[in-house]
Amino acid sequence: MLAATLAASGYIHAQLYIDGYRFIHVIGPLFLLQSAAAFAVAALLLLAAPLLLRIAAAAIAIGALAGFATSRTIGLFGFTERGLQPAPQALLSLIAETLTLLIVVAWQAFEVRRHRRTRPHHDGIVRVRPDLRTATPDR
C-alpha cells in the first residue's frame, strides 16, 4: 500500500510536469525530481521495506506537501497557485501524500510495538535468584 500511494504521487507530479509544469522555472525540475524519487522509492519498497526506505517515503511526501502549502501561501521560487488547482491533480496529490504519511506512521508504530513484545522486558531492577540445585549445605 505504501508503494502504491507513493507511486500515485509520483505519477501525478510526472503528469503535471508533462502537461506544462516543465516550463516553470525551478518548479518544473522539482516536479520531475519528486516524480523520479517517488517512483524509485516505491519500486524499492516492493522489494523490501527497511526503515530507511520508509523514512525516504515520508520525506518525499512531506516535501511535496510542504511545496504545495508554500505555493499556496507565500509562493515558492516566485510560483503561486490558488486552492485545489489544478483539478483534480491537486486534491489527488494531497490524498496520496497524506496517505503515504499515515501509512508510514502506522507501520512504524506497529514495528515499535512488535519490537517491544519480542524483546525481554527490563525494568532496571537486577534480580538474582540462586540456583538451589548447586547450593552446598552449610557444614
Side-chain angles (χ1 to χ4, degrees):
M1 185 70 162
L2 179 58
T5 60
L6 194 59
S9 172
Y11 176 79
I12 293 164
H13 282 81
Q15 180 187 31
L16 288 171
Y17 176 82
I18 291 167
D19 288 347
Y21 278 57
R22 67 178 176 252
F23 300 113
I24 302 170
H25 181 68
V26 182
I27 299 300
L30 288 175
F31 267 62
L32 188 59
L33 178 63
Q34 191 280 351
S35 178
F39 282 134
V41 172
L44 291 172
L45 282 166
L46 293 174
L47 301 174
L51 178 60
L52 183 60
L53 285 179
R54 296 192 309 265
I55 290 171
I60 292 166
I62 289 169
L65 289 169
F68 183 90
T70 305
S71 71
R72 279 146 178 81
T73 53
I74 61 173
L76 185 63
F77 302 108
F79 176 75
T80 58
E81 287 187 306
R82 300 280 176 235
L84 292 176
Q85 296 302 317
Q89 293 91 339
L91 179 59
L92 294 174
S93 180
L94 284 174
I95 292 169
E97 287 132 18
T98 301
L99 284 173
T100 296
L101 288 177
L102 289 174
I103 292 167
V104 169
V105 168
W107 192 334
Q108 193 57 33
F110 173 78
E111 288 292 320
V112 167
R113 216 173 312 119
R114 185 175 65 88
H115 181 70
R116 284 186 182 157
R117 274 192 230 132
T118 60
R119 192 177 65 173
H121 179 69
H122 296 285
D123 57 8
I125 300 171
V126 177
R127 292 180 179 88
V128 178
R129 293 193 292 185
D131 187 351
L132 299 177
R133 290 176 287 165
T134 60
T136 57
D138 291 331
R139 293 182 189 194

